[in-house]
Amino acid sequence: MNELRDVYITGVGAHLPGPPVASAAIEDHIGRIGGRDSALGRRALRWNGVETRHYALDGQGRPTTSNAAMCAEAVRAALDHAALTPNDLSFLATATTQGDYLVPGHGTNVHGELGGGPLELASFQSVCGSALMAAKSAWLSVRAGEHDIAAAAASEFSSRWFRPAFYEGSALVDAKGRLRPEADYLRFTLSDGAGAVVMEPSPRPTGLSLRVRFIDLISLADRFDPCMWAGAAPETRADPLSTWAFSGPLAAHAQGAIALLQDFELLKRVIRAWVGVYLQKVEERRIEPARIDHLLCHYSARSLRTEIEALLESTAGMIPRDRWFSNLSTVGNVGSASIWVMLEAFLRSGRLSPGQQVLCVVPESGRALVGFMLLEAVE
């Protein structure tokens, strides 16, 4: 049996559609429920701290591209960064919350947009954590010697979920035309875009590469009901037999079962569970905070970062704030693509030096999942 190989990230790419959209213009793109400004929007923006974001919808709410096309653009950018082309790629793993189609999977459509000839494919669907699911698949394929050039990519077209047609005429809008907070908050937090990484068994000939030390994913779904979901009404989301497919699309829309929703009370408990998993990793010395030079932690809102910091403040797991890197304020929460969009911006920042360690943390509220990826810069 061949020995396992070291694996390096040799290329990173991001694709953000259109120009940055300021907060005042959000509802020009995603629309206004009942033709009126959201009552929750300004509060949501104060909580999440997002100042600009990108949408694959224009100022009249019309799509300018597809989820798969954005993902393919990010893969091309990552391959270009690695001085490669789509023809060099032999394994592609993709991630998204929801592709352009219910069937087939996102990965096949990304490959269709990317071109480059036959390749092996893996397609992951979850929420933010699906990025690391795809990354682990690509990492292990190279590590095992099955492929020499693999890409992991993630993309989101969240804004299409936020158009008025997803809510109007449903139980999510009350008699006064107000949208339930479980739905409205997400409209001002999530945005569109894609990111990708290329993995190879050798570092780049010049410049920095990132050796992948490990990728760990921990699900806590046995302890929690869905916390962020689409496809079920809020009151019945814990019952798989009450999901949208058993009602049919028209009845499901009337129940509010098609829209993307978040349970904020449950989220508070999930945050504590995420932190608990991280502290267990610290206790096991899988993660050694003192050796972490840079922390790239995905979080959906500035207020959530504050909660996470408060929980870690008096523990052995706290990493000094000056080692944290985030671009949330300028790109928003890009779901599964966030960690790659953040990594691409971090590498462009010039902060990284050879020998330094980068810890990437990706919590997912969907049904309580958290992932960790440890990287080491090499030259």
Side-chain angles (χ1 to χ4, degrees):
M1 180 180 290
N2 293 332
E3 291 186 4
L4 295 177
R5 305 188 295 185
D6 284 339
V7 181
Y8 301 85
I9 292 176
T10 58
V12 184
H15 176 74
L16 297 170
V21 175
S23 298
I26 287 177
E27 289 181 288
D28 294 337
H29 293 259
I30 63 175
R32 293 171 171 81
I33 311 303
R36 297 186 299 183
D37 289 349
S38 167
L40 183 65
R42 290 183 180 178
R43 277 185 291 162
L45 291 167
R46 286 198 299 271
W47 292 332
N48 65 38
V50 178
E51 298 171 5
T52 59
R53 73 284 298 146
H54 293 259
Y55 289 136
L57 299 174
D58 67 16
Q60 287 73 48
R62 298 171 300 203
T64 60
T65 186
S66 69
N67 195 356
M70 287 189 284
C71 200
E73 286 296 327
V75 175
R76 289 190 189 98
L79 287 167
D80 185 64
H81 183 216
L84 298 167
T85 72
N87 290 317
D88 298 311
L89 192 63
S90 63
F91 183 88
L92 173 64
T94 67
T96 192
T97 301
Q98 177 60 59
D100 297 306
Y101 299 88
L102 295 178
V103 177
H106 187 50
T108 57
N109 297 305
V110 174
H111 183 206
E113 292 283 346
L114 180 66
L119 48 69
E120 187 171 348
L121 192 69
S123 189
F124 293 87
Q125 185 269 325
S126 192
V127 197
C128 307
S130 61
L132 291 189
M133 297 176 192
K136 188 155 191 176
S137 179
W139 173 54
L140 291 177
S141 74
V142 177
R143 189 158 168 73
E146 292 197 356
H147 293 277
D148 287 332
I149 300 175
S155 60
E156 302 288 2
F157 196 159
S158 300
S159 62
R160 60 192 165 153
W161 289 80
F162 304 143
R163 297 291 297 162
F166 274 80
Y167 313 103
E168 292 173 350
S170 80
L172 298 175
V173 180
D174 66 18
K176 295 182 179 179
R178 297 172 299 190
L179 183 61
R180 284 179 65 153
E182 297 99 313
D184 210 8
Y185 176 80
L186 295 175
R187 300 178 74 234
F188 293 86
T189 300
L190 297 172
S191 51
D192 305 337
V197 293
V198 172
M199 297 186 184
E200 301 184 71
S202 301
R204 297 163 56 93
T206 60
L208 291 175
S209 298
L210 296 166
R211 182 161 74 95
V212 181
R213 299 285 298 275
F214 68 75
I215 301 175
D216 291 350
L217 288 149
I218 308 298
S219 169
L220 304 172
D222 59 329
R223 294 165 48 185
F224 297 98
D225 288 335
C227 182
M228 180 180 175
W229 73 97
E235 296 75 20
T236 60
R237 72 180 188 275
D239 178 11
L241 298 181
S242 297
T243 52
W244 74 274
F246 295 97
S247 303
L250 293 179
H253 171 74
Q255 297 162 10
I258 301 298
L260 192 62
L261 302 162
Q262 177 88 68
D263 183 331
F264 297 106
E265 290 304 313
L266 181 56
L267 180 60
K268 294 176 183 178
R269 292 168 46 208
V270 170
I271 292 171
R272 289 174 171 78
W274 291 334
V275 171
V277 173
Y278 168 74
L279 291 176
Q280 184 177 354
K281 296 283 183 184
V282 172
E283 184 177 347
E284 296 167 351
R285 300 183 67 83
R286 182 69 161 170
I287 297 173
E288 300 180 77
R291 301 184 63 185
I292 302 302
D293 299 289
H294 304 281
L295 173 63
L296 275 60
C297 180
H298 166 62
Y299 44 86
S300 61
R302 183 174 56 197
S303 59
L304 292 187
R305 170 173 171 165
T306 301
E307 288 189 49
I308 292 170
E309 288 178 336
L311 291 169
L312 290 174
E313 194 70 60
S314 59
T315 74
M318 185 61 183
I319 295 172
R321 290 179 177 84
D322 61 0
R323 300 183 192 174
W324 292 48
F325 178 88
S326 174
N327 58 351
L328 176 72
S329 65
T330 56
V331 301
N333 177 1
V334 202
S336 63
S338 290
I339 193 62
W340 305 138
V341 173
M342 193 189 316
L343 182 61
E344 191 270 345
F346 170 70
L347 292 179
R348 282 192 289 105
S349 74
R351 302 184 187 193
L352 186 63
S353 299
Q356 291 188 327
Q357 292 194 3
V358 181
L359 178 64
C360 300
V361 182
V362 183
E364 172 182 307
S365 64
R367 195 160 179 173
L369 170 82
V370 60
F372 307 91
M373 178 173 64
L374 184 63
L375 307 172
E376 180 183 2
V378 299
E379 191 171 34

